[in-house]
Amino acid sequence: MQFPESWLRSFCNPSLSTQQLADTLTMAGLEVEDLKSVAPPFTKIVVGEIKDAVQHPNADRLRVCKVDVGQPELLDIVCGAPNARVGIRVPCALVGAELPPGEDGKPFVIKVGKLRGVESQGMLCSAKELQLADDHGGLLELAADAPLGQNIREHLNLDDTLFTLKLTPNLAHCLSVYGVAREVSALTGAPLQSPSFPAVAVGNADKLAVKVSAPDLCGRFSGRVIRNVNTKAKAPQWMVDRLARCGQRSVTALVDISNYVMFELGRPSHIFDLDKINGGLDVRWGKPGEQIKLLNGNTVTVDDKVGVIADDTQVESLAGIMGGDATAVSDDTRNVYVEAAFWWPKSIAGRSRRFNFSTDAGHRFERGVDPQLTVEHIERLTQLIIDICGTPDTSCGPIDDQQPNMPVPAPVSLRVARASKIIGMPLTQAQCADALSRLGLDVKQTEGLLTLVPPSYRFDLQIEEDLIEEVARMVGYDNLPHTPPLAPITAKIRTEAQRGPFAVRRSLAALGYQETINFSFVEESWEHGLAGNPNPIKLLNPIASQMSVMRSSLLGSLLQVLKFNQARKQPRVRVFELGRVFLRDASVKSTDSTVEGFDQPMRVAGLASGGADALQWGRKEQGVDFFDVKGDVEALLAPLQARFVPGSHPAMHPGRCAQVLLNDQPIGFVGELHPQWRQTFDLTQAPVLFELDLDAVLQRRVAEFKPVAKHQPVQRDIAVVVADEVTHAALMAAIWAAPTSGLLRDAQLFDVYRPKLAKDAVAIEGAADRSLAVRLTLNSDEATLSEEQIEAAVKAVVDALTAKVGARQRV
């Protein structure tokens, strides 16, 4: 929230400098994000009036003006502004004045000079030349009663400072200048100038019929009819300036008045064109399919979760968010209806995000606006409308105030001993009571206990910890003692049989993958299709329609990353993510780190697409395939050895998917993307993916010492014919199961042969068979192997293959 310091000090003016005031607010939890001067530095620029303006004798677009700046003699100044005319008062830079620095960073000094042969004794300035605005359409015209010769900085209050606060959601009562002033008064003890709201005289008995059909939407609705206003009137300059310094541009007088009261008192309001309302108003929930054209030009469709204000024929406003175009005030408006209401925060929260915009009104109402002062604020709005837009015929009706469902605050208690323990410093009951009383809270005391009923504007005071926070804020976070921890600090050392997540990240990065971090919120269709999850965990208030459920798989996020990169012509993509997934599990109970009914395990997933290698010249380019990624998974799990068995996953190709087993326990899947999802994501080629349980990946075998063999190893190659359905895992299991008396040290498959012609099929005795060649490495720790030992070990392996997988040795 942005506002000028001068406006704040009009309510509460402590004897603090600007920086001290900013530090005080920050240390009380109202973080001052930025301090900025209203205007850059410049000197010797005063108010001047053009007394005469004649055509320059040597230039069509220049005028020679005689300017009165309060000195005995008029100044001759050459000016080319299109609005330079007799009678207006404008900023005048005298000789020797320094204008704000330009793009070169150097100040512009005004000197006596000649323009086309005519001497100029100064310069008349535009708002852009003073860097007050971007408008360069002409001179900055000042008020007709601006004192001649007065310093322009003093006249326009340009030595002001803009405060920008970064407020947390619990500080809704500080979303106004008066609300911040109330905090400053509590922090510094400076007196607070509370505004008064004298009742405006009622001139007619007109009321607009209003029905509140949804008390759970609107707790209080106040309104008043005002007739015969002049909507063409201009807002006074002081109001325009204050709004501009709050970041709000001037629109029309009525809109400016509504915005001004919102920034001043924190009360959003709305002004309807009374003559455009058909019948009365009904405050209710929307009906599915109803549409409304808003003041920002958007046409939106509401449903029964969005509050509206409707007349007898159509929806006229989104409750607490934005008014409709149909009843907007215009230059032809003569009669208006002023509305101020209390909307329940839960009924407003998240509604504007459905329509992809946000408003200052919605921002305030979804955090909570004081329900007790709607009538007083309408009196303030009415008085400003009469003062600015009033005519001799202007008259006001009585205020219609309906209170169908006012909030009832519950008492909150504070234990002094607990406050002292939580804050970490000794506190007396008197200190706590004083801190809360300075905030305007009515505190009742008993021994060691403070009890209060929160005021209507404090929606954040609900539990004891909220009061403890208020005490800490009033004490000042910078005044809390610096107490080192007294408890022994013990490092949580990871066992040797486990590695950390960062080690997994480094391993994947070494394999050529890049880490991505994605939202845990995904599209519901991904959960149904990619994850095979018919009942995903839905969000009550999603930040976007395409992020409505919690993910139970990381694969959808990686596919979205791939699509993003391919759209930007990246031919080779290798990415991974370590993240949490969210599953329904009734067996999970609530603890400090778990939520009942939901399992939240960590997983690691990866995706590879494009070339198997980065661009290089050593070998022909080859696309990544299942075995490349399978090798990466094996390298990630090493030295543990996983088994890969045919599997089925809804995101993967039915015939190119394997389940990963570690110690015979399933830990994940690896496979090529299903053609259906390749088409859905519009991918140029099918990537290969894997997803594993992180807990399993973190396990590792503790290193064991083994002596280096002293004797020369022996290698023997065997070729066997097996049925085509025999897997590599079955082959290796049979070999290692052979009784070789510990002589077998290694076995590697190095050749696979399938017959292409009939005569070749005859050679291996079966068209559905294939020939596998395996290299056996044999050795002994005791002595060099004899030929008999070698032959016996090889025979044992061949016999085991014959017995277990039906292999036949080729000769």
Side-chain angles (χ1 to χ4, degrees):
M1 187 183 74
Q2 178 179 295
F3 58 85
E5 181 183 3
S6 59
W7 198 358
L8 174 64
R9 289 187 182 271
S10 69
F11 287 114
C12 182
N13 189 12
S15 56
L16 299 175
S17 67
T18 299
Q19 189 60 53
Q20 289 173 331
L21 178 58
D23 293 341
T24 300
L25 288 172
T26 298
M27 287 297 103
L30 283 73
E31 181 186 352
V32 179
E33 192 174 28
D34 188 29
L35 290 175
K36 185 173 67 174
S37 297
V38 170
F42 52 78
T43 60
K44 296 186 71 174
I45 300 178
V46 300
V47 177
E49 181 181 352
I50 300 177
K51 293 295 186 178
D52 187 28
V54 298
Q55 188 67 40
H56 192 290
N58 300 321
D60 294 337
R61 298 187 178 181
L62 298 178
R63 289 184 177 87
V64 180
C65 303
K66 290 191 177 294
V67 182
D68 184 1
V69 293
Q71 296 179 358
E73 296 183 359
L74 300 179
L75 303 179
D76 289 328
I77 298 178
V78 178
C79 178
N83 63 334
R85 63 187 186 277
V86 174
I88 64 170
R89 298 194 176 188
V90 297
C92 178
L94 306 177
V95 173
E98 288 190 1
L99 268 64
E103 294 181 356
D104 58 357
K106 298 179 181 179
F108 184 70
V109 180
I110 301 300
K111 302 177 182 178
V112 176
K114 288 188 176 182
L115 292 176
R116 295 289 185 93
V118 177
E119 185 176 77
S120 182
Q121 300 171 324
M123 175 180 171
L124 303 181
C125 303
S126 68
K128 185 170 184 178
E129 289 162 339
L130 298 181
Q131 296 185 14
L132 302 179
D134 292 331
D135 181 19
H136 197 27
L139 302 176
L140 174 59
E141 298 189 25
L142 306 175
D145 59 350
L148 294 177
Q150 184 182 32
N151 190 313
I152 200 70
R153 299 192 72 90
E154 179 184 351
H155 176 68
L156 296 178
N157 192 21
L158 298 181
D159 291 322
D160 204 353
T161 303
L162 298 182
F163 277 60
T164 302
L165 301 188
K166 187 178 181 181
L167 299 176
T168 52
N170 63 309
L171 296 175
H173 59 287
C174 296
L175 286 170
S176 66
V177 178
Y178 178 72
V180 177
R182 189 166 47 203
E183 291 287 309
V184 172
S185 176
L187 292 166
T188 64
L192 178 66
Q193 303 297 324
S194 298
S196 59
F197 307 102
V200 176
V202 175
N204 62 67
D206 295 344
K207 280 188 177 183
L208 179 66
V210 176
K211 176 184 177 184
V212 180
S213 299
D216 56 335
L217 166 67
C218 178
R220 185 175 187 179
F221 193 94
S222 305
R224 158 178 275 168
V225 172
I226 305 177
R227 295 193 177 277
N228 300 314
V229 296
N230 176 20
T231 55
K232 296 181 181 180
K234 289 188 176 181
Q237 192 61 41
W238 59 267
M239 179 178 285
V240 173
D241 290 343
R242 279 186 171 177
L243 288 174
R245 293 175 187 183
C246 290
Q248 180 69 50
R249 66 179 180 87
S250 176
V251 183
T252 65
L254 288 175
V255 175
D256 289 352
I257 290 169
S258 178
N259 287 333
Y260 182 84
V261 172
M262 179 181 67
F263 286 115
E264 180 186 42
L265 304 173
R267 167 70 59 190
S269 59
H270 187 61
I271 301 177
F272 295 85
D273 186 326
L274 180 63
D275 298 325
K276 295 178 182 178
I277 298 176
N278 298 302
L281 295 180
D282 186 9
V283 182
R284 58 174 173 80
W285 292 106
K287 299 175 183 177
E290 285 186 314
Q291 290 189 330
I292 175 176
K293 183 178 180 181
L294 301 173
L295 291 174
N296 61 6
N298 293 348
T299 298
V300 300
T301 303
V302 303
D303 57 21
D304 58 357
K305 301 297 183 183
V306 178
V308 300
I309 302 175
D311 61 15
D312 293 348
T313 61
Q314 62 183 348
V315 175
E316 299 294 359
S317 175
L318 286 184
I321 299 175
M322 184 179 289
D325 182 69
T327 53
V329 295
S330 65
D331 289 346
D332 298 327
T333 299
R334 291 294 173 265
N335 306 308
V336 297
Y337 181 74
V338 182
E339 164 264 315
F342 166 68
W343 307 100
W344 285 98
K346 288 184 178 179
S347 69
I348 304 300
R351 269 50 175 195
S352 61
R353 286 195 293 272
R354 291 187 179 189
F355 308 117
N356 297 321
F357 66 84
S358 61
T359 63
D360 288 326
H363 182 76
R364 286 163 172 78
F365 278 125
E366 67 184 7
R367 285 160 173 77
V369 176
D370 189 356
Q372 293 292 344
L373 297 178
T374 57
V375 171
E376 289 80 355
H377 291 169
I378 284 184
E379 295 288 4
R380 172 64 167 158
L381 287 161
T382 303
Q383 189 61 60
L384 288 172
I385 291 173
I386 292 174
D387 293 343
I388 297 171
C389 303
T391 67
D393 298 325
T394 299
S395 64
C396 305
I399 295 179
D400 178 25
D401 183 28
Q402 301 185 39
Q403 303 181 27
N405 186 19
M406 291 287 284
V408 180
V412 186
S413 297
L414 167 69
R415 292 167 290 175
V416 176
R418 178 164 174 77
S420 180
K421 179 181 179 180
I422 295 297
I423 295 175
M425 65 181 293
L427 291 169
T428 65
Q429 183 164 327
Q431 285 177 300
C432 295
D434 176 66
L436 297 175
S437 298
R438 280 155 48 197
L439 286 166
L441 306 177
D442 184 13
V443 182
K444 296 180 180 179
Q445 303 186 44
T446 58
E447 184 63 32
L449 186 69
L450 306 179
T451 304
L452 58 89
V453 176
S456 57
Y457 56 86
R458 293 301 301 267
F459 288 81
D460 59 315
L461 302 182
Q462 298 179 1
I463 58 176
E464 184 179 29
E465 283 72 15
D466 295 330
L467 298 183
I468 294 174
E469 180 186 2
E470 295 305 294
V471 172
R473 289 200 310 116
M474 291 299 103
V475 170
Y477 293 122
D478 54 337
N479 293 324
L480 299 181
H482 299 281
T483 306
L486 301 178
I489 300 176
T490 305
K492 188 176 180 181
I493 302 175
R494 190 177 292 110
T495 64
E496 284 187 274
Q498 192 177 40
R499 55 181 169 176
F502 278 98
V504 176
R505 290 183 171 95
R506 287 191 291 269
S507 297
L508 285 167
L511 292 169
Y513 291 81
Q514 292 182 310
E515 184 176 10
T516 67
I517 300 175
N518 300 291
F519 279 108
S520 296
F521 316 135
V522 298
E523 288 189 34
E524 188 171 358
S525 62
W526 292 4
E527 280 299 295
H528 293 319
L530 281 171
N533 183 7
N535 187 23
I537 302 169
K538 296 185 179 181
L539 300 175
L540 294 177
N541 186 22
I543 60 176
S545 59
Q546 69 273 20
M547 305 173 75
S548 59
V549 299
M550 305 293 287
R551 65 184 179 183
S552 63
S553 171
L554 305 180
L555 298 181
S557 301
L558 294 182
L559 288 171
Q560 189 68 19
V561 172
L562 173 61
K563 182 177 180 181
F564 181 88
N565 280 269
Q566 285 195 355
R568 285 151 184 81
K569 307 301 181 184
Q570 293 295 325
R572 185 174 185 268
V573 178
R574 297 171 75 89
V575 292
F576 77 93
E577 180 178 6
L578 265 74
R580 199 172 295 281
V581 297
F582 304 87
L583 311 168
R584 297 185 185 275
D585 187 346
S587 65
V588 177
K589 304 300 180 184
S590 289
T591 66
D592 292 340
S593 58
T594 61
V595 178
E596 185 175 0
F598 300 98
D599 187 19
Q600 305 174 55
M602 291 288 291
R603 290 185 183 171
V604 56
L607 176 150
S609 177
D613 302 308
L615 190 64
Q616 45 83 41
W617 56 270
R619 66 173 185 169
K620 188 180 296 185
E621 184 176 354
Q622 181 178 344
V624 67
D625 61 16
F626 172 88
F627 295 101
D628 293 317
V629 178
K630 174 177 175 287
D632 291 339
V633 172
E634 290 176 327
L636 179 63
L637 295 173
L640 300 178
Q641 293 186 352
R643 283 199 307 119
F644 297 83
V645 299
S648 175
H649 190 284
M652 296 180 183
H653 194 294
R656 300 173 187 175
C657 171
Q659 188 177 36
V660 185
L661 303 178
L662 196 62
N663 298 325
D664 291 330
Q665 296 296 319
I667 65 168
F669 290 87
V670 57
E672 185 178 299
L673 182 66
H674 197 290
Q676 171 193 346
W677 290 106
R678 174 185 172 183
Q679 184 177 7
T680 300
F681 281 88
D682 193 24
L683 303 176
T684 56
Q685 64 183 70
V688 184
L689 315 96
F690 69 86
E691 185 173 25
L692 308 172
D693 291 332
L694 183 61
D695 288 343
V697 178
L698 295 180
Q699 304 303 316
R700 63 179 177 181
R701 185 183 300 159
V702 179
E704 298 179 6
F705 169 76
K706 289 185 178 180
V708 178
K710 298 179 180 180
H711 306 286
Q712 185 75 18
V714 176
Q715 291 183 336
R716 290 289 186 270
D717 294 345
I718 61 173
V720 294
V721 178
V722 298
D724 195 54
E725 61 269 12
V726 175
T727 64
H728 175 266
L731 182 78
M732 290 295 113
I735 291 174
W736 285 104
T740 61
S741 302
L743 300 182
L744 181 63
R745 300 300 170 88
D746 189 27
Q748 293 290 336
L749 176 70
F750 66 89
D751 185 53
V752 178
Y753 173 72
R754 287 187 176 88
K756 296 182 180 180
L757 301 175
K759 62 179 181 179
D760 298 325
V762 173
I764 65 170
E765 302 179 359
D769 296 341
R770 54 182 172 168
S771 173
L772 306 178
V774 180
R775 177 162 294 167
L776 306 177
T777 301
L778 307 173
N779 206 343
S780 172
D781 296 330
E782 299 173 355
T784 303
L785 293 177
S786 66
E787 193 64 31
E788 291 79 8
Q789 290 175 305
I790 297 172
E791 292 298 331
V794 172
K795 184 178 184 301
V797 170
V798 173
D799 291 343
L801 288 171
T802 302
K804 295 184 179 296
V805 296
R808 305 183 304 279
Q809 186 173 13
R810 291 186 63 187
V811 294

